[in-house]
């Protein structure tokens, strides 16, 4: 893995120089798997990603431009030369959507967007075939923050779930999927919602895009919200026998960014990682998880 002494914000500022944009007043919007910064003088957002994600990020740029041309409401990349490679980071520039006071878009908005997405043809961008835990397992194997017993448990549980996944039947079939679809990746644009964060787009079973919202019971999602999501999409996963396999795969997938942060010495992430691992090992689905 490439290392750099430059901070993500420093990399964002250098990218702004290349693009001829003012970085004055740059401020963090989110720091998790990807660091996101607001450029107030350009009304734009800079995303700073890990260098090993470069191919996926290039696909995300190409795909969102294609999706925009097909009328899907997605977050849009700006018309600059991108992505940029800056000292071990990959930098992209996106339209900023000012979020109003009040609640974020509900799951029903995601259901509508996914219904539209899943009816589109395969795009010209060459997308990978969806493979669960492809990124998670190397993170687990190389982690310095995980205890050996936790590492062994995670890899063993991943093996069991991947075996179960390989034997599932998917009634909705295969096609273009977002790959990381959950309500937290939607943003208001006026009265409509847009779907963002396309780095994990792939060709795969459409059910994988729906199951993430059901996994959201870990974060307080209610039965009414799940019904609204299913109604907006036009299909309900509730009684599909593969749902628990997909939600448990998602449970483990969400640990990846916390493991990386804990490896960098982030104590808050390490605490949440320990808490999540404890609930998973006990099979406890009653305790709420922190979102970030």
């Amino acid at each position: 893995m490439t290392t750099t002494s430059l901070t993500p914000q420093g990399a964002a500022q250098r990218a702004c120089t290349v693009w001829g944009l003012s970085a004055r007043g740059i401020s963090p919007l989110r720091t998790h798997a990807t660091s996101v910064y607001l450029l107030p003088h350009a009304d734009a957002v800079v995303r700073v990603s890990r260098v090993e994600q470069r191919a996926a990020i290039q696909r995300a740029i190409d795909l969102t431009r294609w999706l925009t041309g097909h009328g899907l409401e997605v977050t849009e990349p700006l018309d600059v030369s991108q992505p940029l490679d800056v000292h071990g980071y990959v930098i992209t520039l996106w339209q900023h959507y000012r979020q109003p006071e009040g609640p974020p878009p509900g799951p029903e908005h995601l259901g509508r967007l996914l219904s539209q997405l899943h009816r589109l043809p395969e795009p010209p961008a060459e997308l990978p075939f969806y493979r669960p835990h492809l990124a998670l397992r190397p993170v687990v194997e190389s982690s310095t923050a995980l205890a050996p017993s936790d590492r062994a448990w995670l890899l063993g549980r991943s093996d069991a779930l991947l075996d179960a996944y390989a034997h599932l039947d998917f009634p909705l079939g295969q096609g273009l999927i977002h790959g990381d679809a959950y309500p937290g990746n939607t943003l208001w644009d006026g009265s409509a919602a847009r779907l963002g964060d396309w780095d994990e787009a792939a060709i795969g079973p459409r059910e994988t895009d729906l199951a993430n919202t059901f996994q959201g019971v870990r974060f307080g999602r209610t039965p009414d919200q799940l019904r609204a999501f299913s109604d907006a999409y036009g299909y309900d996963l509730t009684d599909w026998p593969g749902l628990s396999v997909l939600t448990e795969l998602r449970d483990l997938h969400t640990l990846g960014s916390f493991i990386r942060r804990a490896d960098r010495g982030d104590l808050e992430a390490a605490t949440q990682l320990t808490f999540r691992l404890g609930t998973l090992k006990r099979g406890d689905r009653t305790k709420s998880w922190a979102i970030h």
Side-chain angles (χ1 to χ4, degrees):
M1 181 183 297
T2 301
T3 59
T4 176
S5 60
L6 196 64
T7 65
Q9 183 164 325
Q13 290 170 314
R14 293 200 184 184
C16 290
T17 300
V18 174
W19 287 319
L21 298 174
S22 171
R24 185 163 54 90
I26 188 172
S27 60
L29 289 176
R30 185 180 69 180
T31 302
H32 195 53
T34 298
S35 297
V36 183
Y37 299 92
L38 173 64
L39 290 183
H41 294 282
D43 202 23
V45 166
V46 180
R47 300 181 81 237
V48 182
S49 305
R50 304 185 309 278
V51 68
E52 61 265 29
Q53 294 178 288
R54 194 187 197 288
I57 291 163
Q58 181 66 68
R59 288 193 297 265
I61 293 288
D62 296 340
L63 177 62
T64 49
R65 287 173 173 160
W66 181 83
L67 290 170
T68 298
H70 280 71
L72 192 69
E73 292 158 321
V74 301
T75 51
E76 296 186 38
L78 296 189
D79 188 17
V80 297
S81 178
Q82 60 173 318
L84 291 182
D85 297 289
V86 179
H87 286 260
Y89 298 103
V90 181
I91 319 294
T92 52
L93 186 67
W94 300 79
Q95 176 68 43
H96 176 228
Y97 303 95
R98 296 179 183 274
Q99 297 304 287
E101 295 293 331
E108 66 276 11
H109 294 277
L110 176 61
R112 176 184 61 81
L113 289 165
L114 290 177
S115 178
Q116 295 172 355
L117 175 70
H118 290 172
R119 291 198 298 267
L120 292 176
E122 290 191 15
E126 185 174 345
L127 297 176
F129 191 75
Y130 178 74
R131 293 172 59 190
H133 290 185
L134 183 63
L136 173 69
R137 294 180 67 90
V139 172
V140 173
E141 290 166 351
S142 64
S143 173
T144 57
L146 287 171
S149 59
D150 288 335
R151 183 181 302 111
W153 184 89
L154 281 169
L155 293 173
R157 187 60 188 147
S158 176
D159 286 339
L161 289 169
L162 290 174
D163 181 68
Y165 174 84
H167 292 88
L168 293 179
D169 291 319
F170 295 100
L172 295 178
Q174 308 274 339
L176 171 61
I177 61 172
H178 180 277
D180 190 27
Y182 72 105
N185 274 339
T186 56
L187 293 170
W188 286 120
D189 182 12
S191 60
R194 288 181 179 262
L195 181 55
D197 288 1
W198 291 86
D199 299 354
E200 297 183 41
I203 302 300
R206 295 181 176 94
E207 285 84 352
T208 58
D209 269 352
L210 307 185
N212 296 345
T213 296
F214 285 81
Q215 188 262 351
V217 298
R218 292 279 194 190
F219 309 102
R221 194 146 300 129
T222 67
D224 285 345
Q225 289 176 322
L226 295 178
R227 280 192 294 271
F229 170 77
S230 299
D231 289 346
Y233 182 82
Y235 184 84
D236 190 348
L237 280 189
T238 301
D239 296 323
W240 178 58
L243 178 58
S244 63
V245 174
L246 295 190
T247 55
E248 290 186 56
L249 281 166
R250 178 71 176 182
D251 282 344
L252 297 194
H253 172 85
T254 66
L255 302 181
S257 57
F258 288 94
I259 295 170
R260 284 190 291 267
R261 287 169 56 194
D263 284 345
R264 297 194 298 267
D266 185 328
L267 296 180
E268 184 180 0
T271 299
Q272 179 63 199
L273 175 63
T274 299
F275 177 73
R276 291 191 183 194
L277 277 171
T279 61
L280 289 170
K281 287 182 175 182
R282 295 191 302 271
D284 183 352
R285 298 192 67 82
T286 64
K287 299 290 191 305
S288 294
W289 290 359
I291 294 177
H292 293 302

